[in-house]
Amino acid sequence: MSSIAENMKQVRARIAEAALRAGRAADAVTLVAVSKFHPAEAVAAALAAGQNCFGENRVQEAAGKFPALRPDHPDLRLHIIGALQTNKARDAVRVADVIESLDRPRLAAVLAESMAREGRRPQVLVQVNTGREPQKAGILPEALDDFVAECRESHGLPVAGLMCIPPAEEDPNPHFAALAEAAGRLRLGTLSMGMSGDFEAAIAHGATHVRIGTAIFGNRPAL
Ligand SMILES: *Cc1c(COP(=O)(O)O)cnc(C)c1O
């Protein structure tokens, strides 16, 4: 078994155990395998191991790696999880099934326009800056309700849920709890939270999607 297949198996087992510990179904959590910076061969190994949902940071990289795989893998799901420039929004709408990084009003407007032009409506998640970090993307918690309303009502965007990346040096638990509370309040079903180092905690707080790179593909090659 390739090490990617072996890692995948272990990560899946840990996801299922964490879900069961939280009193949730073993299949309640979707694994988004984050293949950013890894070559197409790594994606192929994961596909061969039964993985069909992937996350990429950069639209250009995603557009280079994934469209060619779709004919042979009709159930492929691609999530864009990184900061999205408005001039890449249309490409993102073309390649993605889910855009997890909606983080500002201007991007909401451009995504809506791109969806209308492309005739394609990937789901969107609103990224929340739960740690209020100045350098980090995301809507501040106090602005979230108005922003979600604007996305839905003014732009007609298919907002399916929320995403967060807790501050690297902090206990992630309060951040996961806050995101889950906000999703409940806004009646949003998708909660993307948890990475290689903290996905079990995220699942305990109700994550429906965990974004895992390193634990599957190993350390990312330097660019
Ligand atoms: C890279 C990345 C991940 C994966 O992180 P790992 O620690 O390698 O599992 C998850 N989410 C986002 C937004 C990322 O950029």
Side-chain angles (χ1 to χ4, degrees), residues 34 36 57 81-82 163 165 194-197 211-215 220:
V34 177
K36 67 183 182 202
N57 258 44
I81 62 174
M163 179 270 233
I165 308 169
M195 320 200 319
S196 290
R211 309 177 308 267
I212 300 181
T214 310
R220 284 178 277 279

Side-chain angles (χ1 to χ4, degrees), residues 100-214:
E100 298 205 9
S101 39
L102 172 52
D103 61 359
R104 58 198 192 277
R106 174 81 189 125
L107 182 59
V110 175
L111 282 174
E113 196 181 291
S114 302
M115 288 185 196
R117 290 211 189 139
E118 292 293 322
R120 208 167 177 273
R121 287 174 64 74
Q123 288 187 336
V124 299
L125 309 185
V126 174
Q127 182 171 349
V128 185
N129 188 354
T130 57
R132 318 178 58 84
E133 294 172 279
Q135 82 287 6
K136 195 168 272 176
I139 300 292
L140 289 173
E142 65 270 21
L144 179 61
D145 294 40
D146 284 348
F147 182 69
V148 168
E150 179 188 341
C151 288
R152 286 169 158 167
E153 289 152 29
S154 308
H155 300 299
L157 284 172
V159 180
L162 305 177
M163 179 270 233
C164 77
I165 308 169
E169 307 303 328
E170 281 182 33
D171 174 5
N173 281 287
H175 299 277
F176 296 152
L179 199 72
E181 189 276 325
R185 185 178 70 236
L186 292 162
R187 301 194 192 293
L188 291 166
T190 299
L191 262 183
S192 174
M193 54 190 197
M195 320 200 319
S196 290
D198 56 17
F199 68 87
E200 282 140 325
I203 289 168
H205 286 285
T208 62
H209 291 69
V210 290
R211 309 177 308 267
I212 300 181
T214 310

Side-chain angles (χ1 to χ4, degrees), residues 2-5 8 39-51 54 216-217:
S2 81
S3 63
I4 288 175
M8 188 88 67
E41 294 74 48
V43 173
L47 280 166
Q51 180 65 21
F54 292 87
I216 295 171
F217 297 108

